[in-house]
Amino acid sequence: MSATTQPSEVQSADAQTPETASKKERLQQFLTREAADGEMYFKSKFIADEVGLSSKEIGALMVKLKESATNIEIEKWSYTSATTWRVCPA
């Protein structure tokens, strides 16, 4: 007997669960609000409590937002002990 995986059981690495989508939306709303008056720079660990996410979750979501967000521009700015992100209105 061999084990097979049904197509319905396989989920793409890019597939978003409702929980992941809401985290992404929450982060995007926060960044949009904070960058409304101009550019902002931050490290994930310093905004984690405000957003209610871990710094690791923020880092992963920033990569996705960089590709998909249309109302803000996201740039990986520098890396010194942790990534600094630059966010500004689009």
Side-chain angles (χ1 to χ4, degrees):
M1 185 194 296
S2 67
T4 59
T5 304
Q6 299 298 320
S8 62
E9 295 174 6
V10 177
Q11 211 174 32
S12 166
D14 292 334
Q16 289 188 5
T17 64
E19 182 181 335
T20 303
S22 68
K23 288 178 181 182
K24 184 177 171 184
E25 290 168 9
R26 187 171 53 202
L27 180 58
Q28 184 172 358
Q29 290 170 357
F30 173 83
L31 296 173
T32 301
R33 189 172 54 248
E34 292 295 313
D37 293 332
E39 64 188 12
M40 71 176 276
Y41 297 84
F42 72 93
K43 292 184 187 264
S44 300
K45 63 184 176 182
F46 296 127
I47 67 163
D49 287 340
E50 291 181 68
V51 185
L53 301 169
S54 71
S55 57
K56 192 173 188 175
E57 288 175 310
I58 292 171
L61 290 171
M62 289 300 290
V63 173
K64 292 179 182 179
L65 281 174
K66 182 178 180 181
E67 297 169 0
S68 66
T70 57
N71 60 337
I72 54 175
E73 292 179 10
I74 298 171
E75 180 181 358
K76 198 177 219 180
W77 191 251
S78 69
Y79 186 88
T80 52
S81 76
T83 301
T84 299
W85 297 96
R86 177 183 174 265
V87 179
C88 62

